[in-house]
Amino acid sequence: LSFRLPQQSVIVSNPLPAYRLRRMSGLPCWTRLEASLLTPFDVNSIYVTAGVLGVLAVIATPIGQLSGFLSFRHAHADPDDAVKSRLVVAFGVVRTFFVPSLLEECFWRACLLPHPMVDAACIGGGPDCWAPYLIPNILFTLGHVASGAACGQVGLTGYRDTFYDPRFLLLAGCVGTAATAAYALTGGCVWAAAVVHWVPVAVWLFVFDGQDRLNGRLPLAPPGGGGGWTGLDPQQPEGQFKQ
């Protein structure tokens, strides 16, 4: 009895040892995933997420528009196009929260990044803690290149060309960095990272016509163009890009 009482008091006062006893299969990645899903998306997390999204918008929007990658050609498309259907757009906005946003964040952030409930040794920062945050973010960006190669093999040329575009990769890196910041600042809340990933993806797909770009309806270069910059020229007439 005298031995068990201190043990119980330690478990109650410090949840970290108790949580470690529940590691799934002894793999840290699964434990991090479980911990990140259980980390609440509270009021503080909402403030952090909104702030990160604001900074991301200030940085990424000018990059996308000045490079010609982001364009409001959406409003000039055929009104009968199914992509412009409100029902399709609403479904697409909901879908993009789960795929790719939450799905990718569960892997790139929740499984790979340190979590304060699991990786206590990494709390407090320092050079030894930077690499676990930096490397997955680089791999997240380069993973789109691999996805583009896979899409090209199955005939999805719009996805391939988009994922190979340096402008897209730069913006993807910005989104990945923002998601990592949200994850770290909220104490490992994967829901915050998923929202930071979801909002720019949904805006790009359905406001800046990213969906049309992925489907090959907006070519990366004007038809017949040769060499040089491969992006859409915002000064070109709309009709010149219709297929």
Side-chain angles (χ1 to χ4, degrees), residues 15 21-22 24 27 34 36 48 82 85 87 92 130 132 140 158 165 167 189 196 204 208 213 218 226:
L21 294 176
R22 296 167 39 226
M24 301 170 58
L27 297 176
E34 183 183 6
S36 66
V48 170
S85 167
L87 181 61
W130 297 342
F140 167 78
D165 193 320
R167 299 167 299 169
C189 179
V196 170
W204 175 61
F208 290 106
R213 184 184 294 276
L218 295 178

Side-chain angles (χ1 to χ4, degrees), residues 30-64:
W30 291 115
T31 310
R32 292 175 186 143
L33 176 59
E34 183 183 6
S36 66
L37 290 171
L38 294 176
T39 302
F41 187 60
D42 53 17
V43 175
N44 179 68
S45 298
I46 294 175
Y47 290 151
V48 170
T49 301
V52 172
L53 283 172
V55 174
L56 176 62
V58 170
I59 295 175
T61 303
I63 293 175

Side-chain angles (χ1 to χ4, degrees), residues 208-231:
F208 290 106
D209 262 351
Q211 188 66 63
D212 285 346
R213 184 184 294 276
L214 291 176
N215 291 336
R217 297 185 182 128
L218 295 178
L220 293 179
W229 181 253
T230 59

Side-chain angles (χ1 to χ4, degrees), residues 10-11 14-32 34-35 38 114-123:
V10 170
I11 292 178
N14 183 8
L16 181 60
Y19 187 85
R20 283 182 169 176
L21 294 176
R22 296 167 39 226
R23 282 196 172 185
M24 301 170 58
S25 304
L27 297 176
C29 61
W30 291 115
T31 310
R32 292 175 186 143
E34 183 183 6
L38 294 176
H115 193 281
M117 294 180 67
V118 181
D119 306 277
C122 204
I123 298 177

Side-chain angles (χ1 to χ4, degrees), residues 97-118:
F97 175 77
F98 297 98
V99 180
S101 303
L102 181 60
L103 179 63
E104 291 189 359
E105 292 308 311
C106 282
F107 177 72
W108 292 109
R109 249 59 67 177
C111 287
L112 300 183
L113 296 185
H115 193 281
M117 294 180 67
V118 181

